[in-house]
Amino acid sequence: MTEDRLRMTPGPTEVPAPVRERTADPAPNPDVEPEFVEFYRDLTAKLEAIYGDDDVAVLGGEGILGLEAAVASLVDEGDRVLCLANGLYGEGFADFVELYGGEAVVCDADWTGPLDREAVAAELDDGEFDVATMVHCETPTGTLNDLDPILDLLDEHDVLAVVDAVSSLGGTPVPTEKMDVCLGASQKCFSAPPGLTVLSVSDRAWERVESFETRSFYADLEPWRAAADEGWFPYTHLASNLQGLDAAVDLLLEEGLDSVFARHEAAAERCRERARDLGLSLYPEREELASPTVTALHVEGRAVELQERVRDEHGIVLATGLGDLTDDVLRVGHMGHNARIERVERTMDALEAVLG
């Protein structure tokens, strides 16, 4: 029975009962009732406490919308954009840049290692860039990037920093104060239903957003700068999903960010400890690169088989790698509601059983 399964995936994560219940509550009509505007303002104020930022918006669309919207709204035709990449999503930013007429310069690093600050410095010294993109947690490889040194470097060169923190925001500290756009999503560490993008935008990023006319409607950030103040949204918002996110944010703030981060660290540490005991290695080359929200295990040629057996024999859903890593990486998501030792133990017990 699928309803009895434990879904230890790196998103969408399991939605706890209070969030499900709030999602099912009657919602104000977002187009005509002023109560919705007040609710949206209250929700963004709560999110600002998590971001540590004073300008947060929530868009109606799964987390990938944030990546496209950031590029669509900040990259004009012919703009040079430095795309920092040590994984699938870092490289994927370049596709959006080219889609909107920009010139993507990809600064690659090995997927098993960190971003290369020296390579970034060399690119910045060699040419002018308007925007740089990067990923905090590369979910497909379980790698958490230390962005502080790179963000400092970009600031020195007056380059706007766009960061995909979809799989880290709300689960581990994120240096949002150094970012111009920080992207999150409802279905990861918040443990709310999929369908919402959350993001913060700096003043200098807003200035750039307003400096040219984007070639997108749905992915245009400009209307969101004044949406809450003016009580007007560019499209009918996802009111029920927003109620679920509001409940999820309440749970997170009630627990306290420090406690939430410690819970994620403890779950990740136990997962990696159990993996070592089973003779399994991490995909990242060093354990200190491993994210506290997802563990990627290197199981060459066995990921799909192990995923299917753990699911069918033990009722636990895991994720494989993506793209070329589909059969070589098995991923355990311990983020949001699932970042709990007892859930990790049950998951690793099942993996131990199928490994024999």
Side-chain angles (χ1 to χ4, degrees):
M1 299 288 288
T2 58
E3 60 265 29
D4 296 328
R5 287 177 176 169
L6 174 60
R7 295 175 175 86
M8 295 293 285
T9 53
T13 54
E14 183 172 333
V15 179
V19 177
R20 296 196 304 271
E21 292 164 4
R22 183 70 189 287
T23 303
D25 283 347
N29 186 309
D31 293 332
V32 300
E33 293 187 72
E35 291 87 351
F36 177 81
V37 177
E38 291 304 315
F39 162 71
Y40 178 86
R41 289 171 180 162
D42 289 344
L43 172 57
T44 53
K46 294 174 186 177
L47 286 166
E48 286 161 11
I50 296 170
Y51 269 96
D53 192 282
D54 62 359
D55 207 351
V56 174
V58 186
L59 280 57
E62 192 272 336
I64 202 72
L65 170 63
L67 278 67
E68 179 172 355
V71 173
S73 303
L74 290 169
V75 178
D76 202 357
E77 289 190 82
D79 286 344
R80 301 185 78 233
V81 179
L82 184 60
C83 300
L84 315 185
N86 62 338
L88 186 69
Y89 286 105
E91 291 184 354
F93 263 120
D95 295 332
F96 285 125
V97 170
E98 292 171 357
L99 178 66
Y100 285 94
E103 178 188 348
V105 178
V106 180
C107 186
D108 274 320
D110 191 281
W111 285 22
T112 63
L115 293 173
D116 188 340
R117 182 193 180 282
E118 298 310 311
V120 174
E123 291 285 0
L124 292 172
D125 288 340
D126 285 346
E128 295 291 326
F129 294 93
D130 303 288
V131 178
T133 64
M134 69 212 75
V135 177
H136 190 213
C137 173
E138 269 287 359
T139 325
T141 60
T143 301
L144 187 74
N145 287 308
D146 177 11
L147 296 182
D148 281 282
I150 290 172
L151 292 169
D152 290 340
L153 190 62
L154 293 171
D155 187 58
E156 291 171 13
H157 287 77
D158 198 28
V159 176
L160 293 176
V162 174
V163 180
D164 170 356
V166 167
S167 294
S168 55
L169 186 71
T172 192
V174 180
T176 54
E177 72 282 356
K178 297 182 178 182
M179 301 172 183
D180 291 288
V181 177
C182 179
L183 303 163
S186 56
Q187 79 274 18
K188 299 286 188 174
C189 297
F190 291 118
S191 286
L196 297 172
T197 286
V198 297
L199 55 86
S200 63
V201 185
S202 71
D203 287 340
R204 67 174 186 167
W206 278 127
E207 290 175 8
R208 184 168 179 81
V209 167
E210 295 171 344
S211 69
F212 64 89
E213 186 173 347
T214 181
R215 292 165 302 290
S216 174
F217 171 77
Y218 203 85
D220 185 6
L221 291 180
E222 185 171 3
W224 293 94
R225 185 172 196 180
D229 291 337
E230 296 179 357
W232 178 88
F233 300 91
Y235 45 75
T236 298
H237 220 317
L238 284 64
S240 294
N241 285 58
L242 285 163
Q243 290 187 154
L245 177 61
D246 185 63
V249 170
D250 282 344
L251 291 176
L252 192 153
L253 292 176
E254 287 166 9
E255 183 177 352
L257 290 177
D258 289 342
S259 176
V260 170
F261 297 159
R263 176 163 56 81
H264 280 76
E265 286 286 355
E269 184 177 342
R270 185 55 180 154
C271 186
R272 295 192 290 264
E273 182 180 286
R274 289 292 305 272
R276 285 194 298 271
D277 291 343
L278 295 176
L280 299 174
S281 60
L282 299 178
Y283 184 80
E285 64 185 13
R286 302 192 307 274
E287 186 164 322
E288 59 265 31
L289 297 174
S291 172
T293 62
V294 53
T295 292
L297 301 171
H298 194 201
V299 290
E300 188 171 358
R302 299 195 63 190
V304 173
E305 169 214 344
L306 293 172
Q307 179 195 43
E308 291 175 350
R309 290 191 59 193
V310 168
R311 180 193 66 214
D312 296 342
E313 298 173 23
H314 298 273
I316 298 174
V317 183
L318 303 178
T320 65
L322 299 178
D324 293 341
L325 297 179
T326 296
D327 206 24
D328 295 330
V329 170
L330 186 68
R331 294 183 292 154
V332 180
H334 34 74
M335 63 173 64
H337 185 61
N338 282 340
R340 305 182 190 281
I341 295 291
E342 63 272 16
R343 292 176 177 240
V344 169
E345 295 285 16
R346 179 180 162 189
T347 300
M348 300 310 286
D349 284 346
L351 187 54
E352 180 176 16
V354 301
L355 287 170

